[in-house]
Amino acid sequence: MFAEERQDKIAELVAARSRVTVGELAELFRITAETVRRDLAGLENTRRLRRVHGGAVALDRLSMSEPSLDERRSQHLAEKTRIAAAAAALIPSTRTGSVLLDSGTTTALLAELLTDWAPASPGDALLVITNALPIAHRLCANPELQLEILGGRVRGLTSAIVGATASERLEALRPDIAFVGANGVHAQFGLSTPDSAEAAIKMAIVRSARRVVALADSSKLGEETLVRFAALREIDTLITDARPAEDLIAALAAADVELVIA
C-alpha cells in the first residue's frame, strides 16, 4: 500500500471512530510506530486530523470545535427527542411553576413539547425563562405560558443570549428547575462547552436553579471541551440516551447525580 493511500485510510478511520491510537494503527497497517507518527504529522499538516498524546482525534473533537445550531439540529435527532420527552416529564405539575431552558437543540425540542402546554386547572401558571432566541420565538406563540427572555448580547453561532446583563438577571432568579445542555460530560472534568461566554451563562443557570437537569446525548459523554461550567456535584440529574461508560457512572453515583436513560 502506498503511503498516500494509507494516509487516506487513516483519515477515514479517525473520522469514523473520532479517536485512534498509534498502537492500533501500527497493528492494523503492519507498520512501525514511527511511520504512524509521520503519517499523522502529514495528515495534521493538511488539516485532516489533530495529533494528541498517543494518537489522533477527529477535528470535531477538538476542545474549541463547535458546529452551528443549524448543523446540530439534524444530529442525533431521535436520541435528543427521547431525552426531551424524559425532561418534559420532570416539569413541575404544581399550581404554579417556573422552568429555565438553556440554549441548545435538545432544549429546543423540549420547548416544542411546551408549545401545547395548557393549565390543568384554572389559575395554573407556568413561567418559562430562556436565554435562547429560537426557544423564545417558538414559545411566544402559546398565550397560556408566561415567558421571560434574558437580556444581553446574542451569540450568532448558537443564537444564545450571553453577557453580564443575562448573568446578573439570573442572580436574582430562583427557578424550580433548569434544563441545561453541555458539549461534554466527563467523569473528572464535569460539564463543559467550547465558548467562555456561553460557559459563563451556563454557570449562572446552574447556580440559579433549585434543581439542575443536564440534557446530553451519548455522543457528549466522556468528552471534554474547553471551558468547564459545572462539576458533576453541581447537577441533580443527567438525562441521556445510552448507558455511560463505567467511570462516568461511578463518578455520577459518587456525586449523587440521578441518571435517567431515555
Side-chain angles (χ1 to χ4, degrees):
M1 182 182 298
F2 294 112
E4 184 176 348
E5 182 183 2
R6 183 179 65 243
Q7 290 173 11
D8 285 342
K9 291 186 178 298
I10 290 173
E12 292 171 2
L13 192 62
V14 172
R17 295 186 183 178
S18 296
R19 180 185 297 268
V20 296
T21 68
V22 171
E24 289 171 340
L25 295 175
E27 182 177 354
L28 178 62
F29 293 102
R30 297 184 180 181
I31 55 179
T32 66
E34 290 73 15
T35 301
V36 171
R37 293 188 182 97
R38 285 196 297 271
D39 284 346
L40 295 180
L43 289 166
E44 184 177 47
N45 288 338
T46 56
R47 300 185 180 183
R48 300 179 69 183
L49 51 74
R50 176 63 59 85
R51 287 187 295 169
V52 295
H53 179 72
V57 297
L59 292 178
D60 64 1
R61 293 299 182 184
L62 299 180
S63 64
M64 292 186 67
S65 175
E66 185 177 14
S68 70
L69 197 63
D70 286 339
E71 291 173 317
R72 287 188 285 134
R73 282 195 181 101
S74 60
Q75 295 174 349
H76 310 288
L77 180 58
E79 294 87 347
K80 292 176 181 178
T81 301
R82 297 202 307 270
I83 292 168
L90 301 181
I91 292 177
S93 57
T94 52
R95 186 167 179 81
T96 60
S98 56
V99 298
L100 199 165
L101 300 186
D102 180 27
S103 174
T105 52
T106 308
T107 49
L109 290 170
L110 173 56
E112 284 291 326
L113 298 176
L114 291 175
T115 57
D116 295 325
W117 184 89
S121 302
D124 287 3
L126 179 64
L127 169 65
V128 181
I129 307 159
T130 187
N131 70 320
L133 288 180
I135 288 176
H137 181 264
R138 190 70 182 91
L139 291 182
C140 69
N142 183 352
E144 301 288 355
L145 289 170
Q146 297 178 22
L147 177 64
E148 177 173 342
I149 185 167
L150 300 175
R153 176 175 62 86
V154 178
R155 184 170 179 247
L157 186 67
T158 59
S159 296
I161 296 171
V162 298
T165 301
S167 293
E168 289 168 6
R169 177 58 181 151
L170 285 166
E171 290 178 3
L173 297 174
R174 192 69 73 231
D176 295 317
I177 184 168
F179 297 97
V180 62
N183 296 72
V185 181
H186 191 271
Q188 285 78 47
F189 194 59
L191 281 68
S192 60
T193 192
D195 182 73
S196 58
E198 289 213 30
I201 289 297
K202 290 175 184 290
M203 188 180 298
I205 288 172
V206 168
R207 290 175 177 172
S208 73
R210 300 176 189 275
R211 182 181 183 191
V212 180
V213 179
L215 309 181
D217 67 78
S218 53
S219 71
K220 315 291 178 54
L221 304 183
E223 297 298 325
E224 300 172 89
T225 55
L226 185 64
V227 188
R228 177 173 60 191
F229 64 85
L232 292 181
R233 66 179 180 276
E234 294 178 279
I235 66 171
D236 298 289
T237 303
L238 170 66
I239 305 180
T240 188
D241 60 275
R243 181 180 172 85
E246 292 304 320
D247 65 330
L248 182 52
I249 288 178
L252 291 167
D256 197 26
V257 177
E258 176 189 18
L259 174 63
V260 176
I261 300 176

